[in-house]
Amino acid sequence: MDRTILHCDCNGFYASVECVHNPKLKEVPMAVCGSPDNRHGIILAKNELAKRQGVLTAETIWQAKQKCPDLTLVPPHREEYLRYSKLVNQIYLEYTDLVEPFGIDESWLDVTGSRRLFGDGRTIANALRERVRRETGLTISVGVSFNKIFAKLGSDYKKPDATTVISRENFQQLLYPLPVDQLLYVGDAVNKTLKKFSIRTIGDLAGCNKAQLSGVLGKLGENIWEYANGLDSSPVRRFDDQPEVKSIGNHITFRRNLTGTEDFKVGILALADSVAMRLRKHGLKCRGVQIIIKDPQLKSISRQTQLENPTDLAKELGQQALSLLSSCWSPEKPIRMLGLTAIQLTEEDCGFQISLFAPQQASDHQKQQELEQTIDKIRQKYGVNSVQQAVILKNDIGVDRSSKSNYSRKE
């Protein structure tokens, strides 16, 4: 018997949350965007009125304004987006515990075992749409199918606030005419490769030779061929059984280019503070540090190093990152963006090895650990900006807590 898999996608999520808080925004073309002053001037989400005027997610503000001169721009409120994401997932969890978030605004649900209680897939999908609309003010589009990949295609098939059922009987009719890059995991690079072999639609992909595709794209080629043919059998994870974090990082595109050692220090220390706080939140330490540097011409390099001892301390991460930066980048060369990632993560209770000739090292580490844990408690009570390093205060490079964070997870 086939599974019943749902993919639920919140429509224009960031923009929809803003419209719930300010209903007047529903009456005008609006978009959530990053700050142009901080050089994050791109469209993050838009409402339906802006979409009808051709505004696209990820385009620059000036491009959007050319299409829609009266576009209303709203800054992002990430804490609210996280809160609404939790509210929506809690509704899903009333129907099944097999709920697997896919980003902040999408989730897969396996409702196979819930059909006797709540009805078939379409019935459950419609019930979820109605409840999310009524209880949160948001709308969702839901794809219903017998596997995760087709359910995802279903939620994309018709928007907003729609249910699309993709069955064994209709999937070729509905999906095979679609451009191949609408299939999950077919990105720009893969799409370009497929076009060289005249594979332009999902149907073209399904009908090509699997062995030849594997020879060109390796394991990915086999996977996407199976996806196109409806052979995906990957399970939906339980909500409390998500993949473990394998790296924690943060990056900042600065308000102006960094120039000189002092600028570099401010940028690195702000990143190290943020990453270390997240490490402690997850009960993890890292055995390695990676930095990414982007210059004003958007050329990037990355470097990484292993640590003598695992750490979750901002001071130690910052020292290692600054050392790494100075070894590969001249202070005279400007920096547009910096990223710092804690890699090779391990459990918090691992040991700390010191030299017999440096007993002070363990003492300093313990004192710093107590200090940063105390700072965590203060921030928990009074907010993340309540305690900051003096060197970061009153900077003019755009360092703040809204800098983009990244969590990479093991699959």
PDB file of all heavy atoms in Angstrom, residues 5-26:
ATOM      1  N   ILE A   5       2.087  11.093   1.618  1.00  0.00           N
ATOM      2  CA  ILE A   5       3.045  12.110   2.040  1.00  0.00           C
ATOM      3  C   ILE A   5       2.520  13.484   1.658  1.00  0.00           C
ATOM      4  O   ILE A   5       2.050  13.693   0.536  1.00  0.00           O
ATOM      5  CB  ILE A   5       4.426  11.885   1.377  1.00  0.00           C
ATOM      6  CG1 ILE A   5       4.902  10.449   1.581  1.00  0.00           C
ATOM      7  CG2 ILE A   5       5.440  12.882   1.931  1.00  0.00           C
ATOM      8  CD1 ILE A   5       5.117  10.047   3.016  1.00  0.00           C
ATOM      9  N   LEU A   6       2.586  14.417   2.590  1.00  0.00           N
ATOM     10  CA  LEU A   6       2.214  15.801   2.328  1.00  0.00           C
ATOM     11  C   LEU A   6       3.461  16.675   2.370  1.00  0.00           C
ATOM     12  O   LEU A   6       4.376  16.432   3.179  1.00  0.00           O
ATOM     13  CB  LEU A   6       1.227  16.312   3.379  1.00  0.00           C
ATOM     14  CG  LEU A   6      -0.271  16.041   3.198  1.00  0.00           C
ATOM     15  CD1 LEU A   6      -0.568  14.567   2.963  1.00  0.00           C
ATOM     16  CD2 LEU A   6      -1.048  16.582   4.389  1.00  0.00           C
ATOM     17  N   HIS A   7       3.497  17.672   1.500  1.00  0.00           N
ATOM     18  CA  HIS A   7       4.493  18.732   1.630  1.00  0.00           C
ATOM     19  C   HIS A   7       3.747  20.045   1.778  1.00  0.00           C
ATOM     20  O   HIS A   7       2.975  20.438   0.900  1.00  0.00           O
ATOM     21  CB  HIS A   7       5.428  18.800   0.422  1.00  0.00           C
ATOM     22  CG  HIS A   7       6.509  19.837   0.582  1.00  0.00           C
ATOM     23  ND1 HIS A   7       6.355  21.134   0.153  1.00  0.00           N
ATOM     24  CD2 HIS A   7       7.738  19.770   1.164  1.00  0.00           C
ATOM     25  CE1 HIS A   7       7.449  21.821   0.447  1.00  0.00           C
ATOM     26  NE2 HIS A   7       8.298  21.023   1.062  1.00  0.00           N
ATOM     27  N   CYS A   8       3.935  20.686   2.932  1.00  0.00           N
ATOM     28  CA  CYS A   8       3.220  21.927   3.246  1.00  0.00           C
ATOM     29  C   CYS A   8       4.193  23.101   3.148  1.00  0.00           C
ATOM     30  O   CYS A   8       5.255  23.093   3.788  1.00  0.00           O
ATOM     31  CB  CYS A   8       2.638  21.867   4.655  1.00  0.00           C
ATOM     32  SG  CYS A   8       1.471  20.507   4.899  1.00  0.00           S
ATOM     33  N   ASP A   9       3.820  24.099   2.372  1.00  0.00           N
ATOM     34  CA  ASP A   9       4.688  25.245   2.102  1.00  0.00           C
ATOM     35  C   ASP A   9       3.932  26.525   2.419  1.00  0.00           C
ATOM     36  O   ASP A   9       2.886  26.800   1.829  1.00  0.00           O
ATOM     37  CB  ASP A   9       5.104  25.220   0.622  1.00  0.00           C
ATOM     38  CG  ASP A   9       6.123  26.295   0.284  1.00  0.00           C
ATOM     39  OD1 ASP A   9       6.533  27.031   1.195  1.00  0.00           O
ATOM     40  OD2 ASP A   9       6.506  26.385  -0.903  1.00  0.00           O
ATOM     41  N   CYS A  10       4.439  27.298   3.372  1.00  0.00           N
ATOM     42  CA  CYS A  10       3.812  28.582   3.709  1.00  0.00           C
ATOM     43  C   CYS A  10       4.023  29.566   2.558  1.00  0.00           C
ATOM     44  O   CYS A  10       5.155  29.783   2.125  1.00  0.00           O
ATOM     45  CB  CYS A  10       4.411  29.151   4.993  1.00  0.00           C
ATOM     46  SG  CYS A  10       4.101  28.154   6.465  1.00  0.00           S
ATOM     47  N   ASN A  11       2.959  30.171   2.084  1.00  0.00           N
ATOM     48  CA  ASN A  11       3.027  31.051   0.924  1.00  0.00           C
ATOM     49  C   ASN A  11       3.624  32.410   1.290  1.00  0.00           C
ATOM     50  O   ASN A  11       3.132  33.079   2.202  1.00  0.00           O
ATOM     51  CB  ASN A  11       1.637  31.261   0.327  1.00  0.00           C
ATOM     52  CG  ASN A  11       0.966  29.952  -0.063  1.00  0.00           C
ATOM     53  OD1 ASN A  11      -0.200  29.729   0.247  1.00  0.00           O
ATOM     54  ND2 ASN A  11       1.685  29.063  -0.737  1.00  0.00           N
ATOM     55  N   GLY A  12       4.683  32.809   0.551  1.00  0.00           N
ATOM     56  CA  GLY A  12       5.305  34.115   0.803  1.00  0.00           C
ATOM     57  C   GLY A  12       5.548  34.344   2.273  1.00  0.00           C
ATOM     58  O   GLY A  12       5.153  35.387   2.814  1.00  0.00           O
ATOM     59  N   PHE A  13       6.214  33.418   2.936  1.00  0.00           N
ATOM     60  CA  PHE A  13       6.183  33.313   4.391  1.00  0.00           C
ATOM     61  C   PHE A  13       6.543  34.611   5.096  1.00  0.00           C
ATOM     62  O   PHE A  13       5.764  35.135   5.912  1.00  0.00           O
ATOM     63  CB  PHE A  13       7.107  32.186   4.829  1.00  0.00           C
ATOM     64  CG  PHE A  13       7.138  31.952   6.317  1.00  0.00           C
ATOM     65  CD1 PHE A  13       5.969  31.705   7.016  1.00  0.00           C
ATOM     66  CD2 PHE A  13       8.324  31.989   7.023  1.00  0.00           C
ATOM     67  CE1 PHE A  13       5.976  31.487   8.385  1.00  0.00           C
ATOM     68  CE2 PHE A  13       8.353  31.756   8.390  1.00  0.00           C
ATOM     69  CZ  PHE A  13       7.181  31.513   9.068  1.00  0.00           C
ATOM     70  N   TYR A  14       7.732  35.165   4.839  1.00  0.00           N
ATOM     71  CA  TYR A  14       8.134  36.387   5.547  1.00  0.00           C
ATOM     72  C   TYR A  14       7.125  37.499   5.310  1.00  0.00           C
ATOM     73  O   TYR A  14       6.711  38.202   6.239  1.00  0.00           O
ATOM     74  CB  TYR A  14       9.518  36.856   5.080  1.00  0.00           C
ATOM     75  CG  TYR A  14      10.678  35.987   5.473  1.00  0.00           C
ATOM     76  CD1 TYR A  14      10.502  34.801   6.177  1.00  0.00           C
ATOM     77  CD2 TYR A  14      11.985  36.349   5.137  1.00  0.00           C
ATOM     78  CE1 TYR A  14      11.574  34.010   6.532  1.00  0.00           C
ATOM     79  CE2 TYR A  14      13.071  35.567   5.493  1.00  0.00           C
ATOM     80  CZ  TYR A  14      12.862  34.402   6.186  1.00  0.00           C
ATOM     81  OH  TYR A  14      13.938  33.632   6.530  1.00  0.00           O
ATOM     82  N   ALA A  15       6.739  37.685   4.037  1.00  0.00           N
ATOM     83  CA  ALA A  15       5.794  38.747   3.710  1.00  0.00           C
ATOM     84  C   ALA A  15       4.438  38.498   4.364  1.00  0.00           C
ATOM     85  O   ALA A  15       3.776  39.433   4.839  1.00  0.00           O
ATOM     86  CB  ALA A  15       5.644  38.853   2.191  1.00  0.00           C
ATOM     87  N   SER A  16       4.022  37.242   4.413  1.00  0.00           N
ATOM     88  CA  SER A  16       2.723  36.914   5.018  1.00  0.00           C
ATOM     89  C   SER A  16       2.711  37.214   6.510  1.00  0.00           C
ATOM     90  O   SER A  16       1.713  37.715   7.046  1.00  0.00           O
ATOM     91  CB  SER A  16       2.393  35.437   4.779  1.00  0.00           C
ATOM     92  OG  SER A  16       2.225  35.170   3.405  1.00  0.00           O
ATOM     93  N   VAL A  17       3.808  36.905   7.199  1.00  0.00           N
ATOM     94  CA  VAL A  17       3.886  37.224   8.635  1.00  0.00           C
ATOM     95  C   VAL A  17       3.804  38.729   8.839  1.00  0.00           C
ATOM     96  O   VAL A  17       3.104  39.213   9.744  1.00  0.00           O
ATOM     97  CB  VAL A  17       5.177  36.649   9.247  1.00  0.00           C
ATOM     98  CG1 VAL A  17       5.356  37.142  10.687  1.00  0.00           C
ATOM     99  CG2 VAL A  17       5.154  35.123   9.220  1.00  0.00           C
ATOM    100  N   GLU A  18       4.504  39.498   7.994  1.00  0.00           N
ATOM    101  CA  GLU A  18       4.450  40.960   8.116  1.00  0.00           C
ATOM    102  C   GLU A  18       3.033  41.470   7.883  1.00  0.00           C
ATOM    103  O   GLU A  18       2.576  42.401   8.563  1.00  0.00           O
ATOM    104  CB  GLU A  18       5.419  41.605   7.118  1.00  0.00           C
ATOM    105  CG  GLU A  18       6.888  41.249   7.326  1.00  0.00           C
ATOM    106  CD  GLU A  18       7.460  41.725   8.646  1.00  0.00           C
ATOM    107  OE1 GLU A  18       6.879  42.665   9.246  1.00  0.00           O
ATOM    108  OE2 GLU A  18       8.481  41.168   9.092  1.00  0.00           O
ATOM    109  N   CYS A  19       2.324  40.847   6.946  1.00  0.00           N
ATOM    110  CA  CYS A  19       0.949  41.275   6.666  1.00  0.00           C
ATOM    111  C   CYS A  19      -0.005  40.913   7.797  1.00  0.00           C
ATOM    112  O   CYS A  19      -0.999  41.619   8.025  1.00  0.00           O
ATOM    113  CB  CYS A  19       0.464  40.649   5.351  1.00  0.00           C
ATOM    114  SG  CYS A  19       1.229  41.351   3.872  1.00  0.00           S
ATOM    115  N   VAL A  20       0.261  39.839   8.502  1.00  0.00           N
ATOM    116  CA  VAL A  20      -0.555  39.498   9.671  1.00  0.00           C
ATOM    117  C   VAL A  20      -0.400  40.570  10.744  1.00  0.00           C
ATOM    118  O   VAL A  20      -1.375  40.997  11.374  1.00  0.00           O
ATOM    119  CB  VAL A  20      -0.158  38.112  10.230  1.00  0.00           C
ATOM    120  CG1 VAL A  20      -0.806  37.874  11.588  1.00  0.00           C
ATOM    121  CG2 VAL A  20      -0.575  37.008   9.265  1.00  0.00           C
ATOM    122  N   HIS A  21       0.837  41.039  10.932  1.00  0.00           N
ATOM    123  CA  HIS A  21       1.092  42.055  11.957  1.00  0.00           C
ATOM    124  C   HIS A  21       0.606  43.438  11.524  1.00  0.00           C
ATOM    125  O   HIS A  21       0.247  44.263  12.373  1.00  0.00           O
ATOM    126  CB  HIS A  21       2.585  42.102  12.285  1.00  0.00           C
ATOM    127  CG  HIS A  21       3.039  40.967  13.141  1.00  0.00           C
ATOM    128  ND1 HIS A  21       2.757  40.885  14.475  1.00  0.00           N
ATOM    129  CD2 HIS A  21       3.735  39.840  12.843  1.00  0.00           C
ATOM    130  CE1 HIS A  21       3.266  39.766  14.972  1.00  0.00           C
ATOM    131  NE2 HIS A  21       3.850  39.114  14.000  1.00  0.00           N
ATOM    132  N   ASN A  22       0.619  43.692  10.222  1.00  0.00           N
ATOM    133  CA  ASN A  22       0.176  44.987   9.706  1.00  0.00           C
ATOM    134  C   ASN A  22      -0.739  44.744   8.504  1.00  0.00           C
ATOM    135  O   ASN A  22      -0.277  44.725   7.356  1.00  0.00           O
ATOM    136  CB  ASN A  22       1.374  45.847   9.304  1.00  0.00           C
ATOM    137  CG  ASN A  22       0.960  47.227   8.808  1.00  0.00           C
ATOM    138  OD1 ASN A  22      -0.225  47.567   8.792  1.00  0.00           O
ATOM    139  ND2 ASN A  22       1.935  48.022   8.389  1.00  0.00           N
ATOM    140  N   PRO A  23      -2.034  44.539   8.732  1.00  0.00           N
ATOM    141  CA  PRO A  23      -2.961  44.183   7.644  1.00  0.00           C
ATOM    142  C   PRO A  23      -2.994  45.186   6.499  1.00  0.00           C
ATOM    143  O   PRO A  23      -3.357  44.820   5.378  1.00  0.00           O
ATOM    144  CB  PRO A  23      -4.309  44.118   8.364  1.00  0.00           C
ATOM    145  CG  PRO A  23      -3.973  43.802   9.789  1.00  0.00           C
ATOM    146  CD  PRO A  23      -2.694  44.537  10.043  1.00  0.00           C
ATOM    147  N   LYS A  24      -2.596  46.436   6.738  1.00  0.00           N
ATOM    148  CA  LYS A  24      -2.580  47.426   5.656  1.00  0.00           C
ATOM    149  C   LYS A  24      -1.619  47.033   4.543  1.00  0.00           C
ATOM    150  O   LYS A  24      -1.781  47.459   3.389  1.00  0.00           O
ATOM    151  CB  LYS A  24      -2.216  48.804   6.212  1.00  0.00           C
ATOM    152  CG  LYS A  24      -3.288  49.416   7.112  1.00  0.00           C
ATOM    153  CD  LYS A  24      -2.893  50.805   7.566  1.00  0.00           C
ATOM    154  CE  LYS A  24      -3.986  51.422   8.451  1.00  0.00           C
ATOM    155  NZ  LYS A  24      -3.606  52.783   8.924  1.00  0.00           N
ATOM    156  N   LEU A  25      -0.610  46.227   4.869  1.00  0.00           N
ATOM    157  CA  LEU A  25       0.372  45.801   3.866  1.00  0.00           C
ATOM    158  C   LEU A  25      -0.262  44.871   2.827  1.00  0.00           C
ATOM    159  O   LEU A  25       0.287  44.708   1.733  1.00  0.00           O
ATOM    160  CB  LEU A  25       1.552  45.104   4.542  1.00  0.00           C
ATOM    161  CG  LEU A  25       2.447  45.990   5.421  1.00  0.00           C
ATOM    162  CD1 LEU A  25       3.490  45.136   6.145  1.00  0.00           C
ATOM    163  CD2 LEU A  25       3.147  47.054   4.567  1.00  0.00           C
ATOM    164  N   LYS A  26      -1.399  44.259   3.173  1.00  0.00           N
ATOM    165  CA  LYS A  26      -2.082  43.396   2.212  1.00  0.00           C
ATOM    166  C   LYS A  26      -2.659  44.187   1.044  1.00  0.00           C
ATOM    167  O   LYS A  26      -2.918  43.630  -0.019  1.00  0.00           O
ATOM    168  CB  LYS A  26      -3.219  42.623   2.901  1.00  0.00           C
ATOM    169  CG  LYS A  26      -2.777  41.677   3.995  1.00  0.00           C
ATOM    170  CD  LYS A  26      -3.986  41.001   4.641  1.00  0.00           C
ATOM    171  CE  LYS A  26      -3.561  40.073   5.775  1.00  0.00           C
ATOM    172  NZ  LYS A  26      -4.726  39.419   6.426  1.00  0.00           N
TER     173      LYS A  26
END
